[in-house]
Amino acid sequence: MERPAWAPRSIDIAVPSVSRIYDYYLGGSHNFEVDREAARRAMEFMPGLPKIMQANRAFMRRAVRFAVDEGVTQFLDIGSGIPTFGNAHEVAQAAHPGARVVYVDHDPVAVAHSEAVLAGNADAGVVAADLRKPEEILSSPEVRALIDLNRPVALLLVAILHFVEDADDPYSAVAELRDALAPGSLLLLTHASYEGIPLSAERAEGAVDVYKDIRNPLIMRSRDEIARFFEGYDMVEPGLVPMPLWRPDTALEDEDPYAFSGFAGVGRTA
């Protein structure tokens, strides 16, 4: 397999990556055949996966605009993935020039492309780090330079927590991040769940097994389990709901049934 010029030398292009699979679902071009093959296998069981990812992105854009409307102009996007059109910094800075955004990802391709996209943007940066190690994120030079933790921050955890197993205690990581944020900060979150998928759980498990096979388990949590991530936050209306139902800006009857898979919500610290 020939290595594309954009692929960092440090990565194994024969191993699938959830960031690049996500990029493929969104119609991006920074993925390899091994990623596309894994995505196609998952879609054999759950053909609406691209619609779910599009709903994730649409929620993120609405939630970022909501944050700016609420006066929050600092964004920490963890598990940000490979840059695509309508990324958080584009939405935030269009709504409020000078809004500051730091992306965090542990995928070298995602980090390299974020750096390329952000070149010349003094109000945005990227950190190579892992959600499971919040202190490394919070103490990074990029966060220290761009994010004032004494002022409200919008923390984006969009389509990332379902890749953190219970053994790695994602609830503690989210709580540690929450405790570092100023009052009035926001948590913008989406999470996969069997609830809402227009398929039987048995059929959907076939797609989940594909992620297990590539050693990136997809943890499908219940609504109650997802709600636990908002401990210490006051939920913003309409609460924790299927993604299209969170402050929609398009007609719901136009939404694909798969878009209602999983949950989205925004919380605010007191």
Side-chain angles (χ1 to χ4, degrees):
M1 184 187 305
E2 185 177 349
R3 180 181 297 272
W6 51 263
R9 302 297 303 179
S10 59
I11 69 168
D12 185 346
I13 62 175
V15 177
S17 152
V18 293
S19 291
R20 299 193 305 268
I21 292 171
Y22 189 83
D23 178 68
Y24 173 74
Y25 289 143
L26 291 174
S29 59
H30 294 103
N31 48 76
F32 307 131
E33 181 53 35
V34 68
D35 306 307
R36 297 187 284 273
E37 173 58 25
R40 288 191 290 263
R41 283 197 290 128
M43 289 169 63
E44 289 176 6
F45 299 97
M46 200 183 300
L49 278 166
K51 294 295 183 182
I52 297 173
M53 305 313 163
Q54 291 164 19
N56 264 283
R57 299 292 294 189
F59 161 79
M60 180 274 290
R61 291 191 288 268
R62 297 195 305 275
V64 166
R65 288 193 293 267
F66 167 81
V68 172
D69 288 344
E70 293 292 299
V72 179
T73 58
Q74 302 186 105
F75 297 84
L76 182 58
D77 186 350
I78 301 178
S80 50
I82 295 169
T84 57
F85 176 76
N87 258 34
H89 77 281
E90 293 178 337
V91 178
Q93 291 174 355
H96 182 91
R100 295 191 165 192
V101 180
V102 175
Y103 293 119
V104 181
D105 208 290
H106 63 70
D107 186 311
V109 172
V111 172
H113 279 277
S114 295
E115 289 173 340
V117 167
L118 299 176
N121 189 330
D123 293 318
V126 59
V127 178
D130 193 308
L131 168 63
R132 293 168 294 187
K133 299 177 180 178
E135 179 52 37
E136 290 186 9
I137 296 171
L138 296 168
S139 63
S140 66
E142 294 83 0
V143 168
R144 289 185 176 276
L146 288 170
I147 304 293
D148 180 359
L149 294 175
N150 295 310
R151 295 193 299 112
V153 175
L155 172 63
L156 281 69
L157 299 176
V158 176
I160 178 62
L161 286 165
H162 47 235
F163 291 114
V164 184
E165 298 181 82
D166 289 339
D168 290 320
D169 199 1
Y171 295 103
S172 289
V174 174
E176 187 174 339
L177 290 163
R178 177 201 65 213
D179 292 346
L181 303 181
S185 292
L186 300 171
L187 171 61
L188 286 50
L189 180 151
T190 67
H191 198 296
S193 176
Y194 286 121
E195 298 176 42
I197 296 177
L199 293 172
S200 68
E202 293 75 19
R203 179 79 177 171
E205 280 174 7
V208 172
D209 287 342
V210 172
Y211 282 89
K212 189 183 301 181
D213 289 345
I214 64 171
R215 298 185 177 86
N216 282 284
L218 179 59
I219 312 303
M220 305 289 270
R221 295 188 171 96
S222 69
R223 185 183 184 282
D224 287 345
E225 289 171 325
I226 297 166
R228 282 183 55 202
F229 288 114
F230 286 96
E231 288 181 0
Y233 290 90
D234 295 325
M235 293 301 296
V236 170
E237 290 294 333
L240 186 62
V241 295
M243 291 177 287
L245 298 183
W246 198 90
R247 303 192 176 217
D249 54 13
T250 57
L252 291 176
E253 58 266 25
D254 295 337
E255 288 286 358
D256 186 281
Y258 275 97
F260 294 86
S261 307
F263 293 96
V266 174
R268 179 186 285 110
T269 56

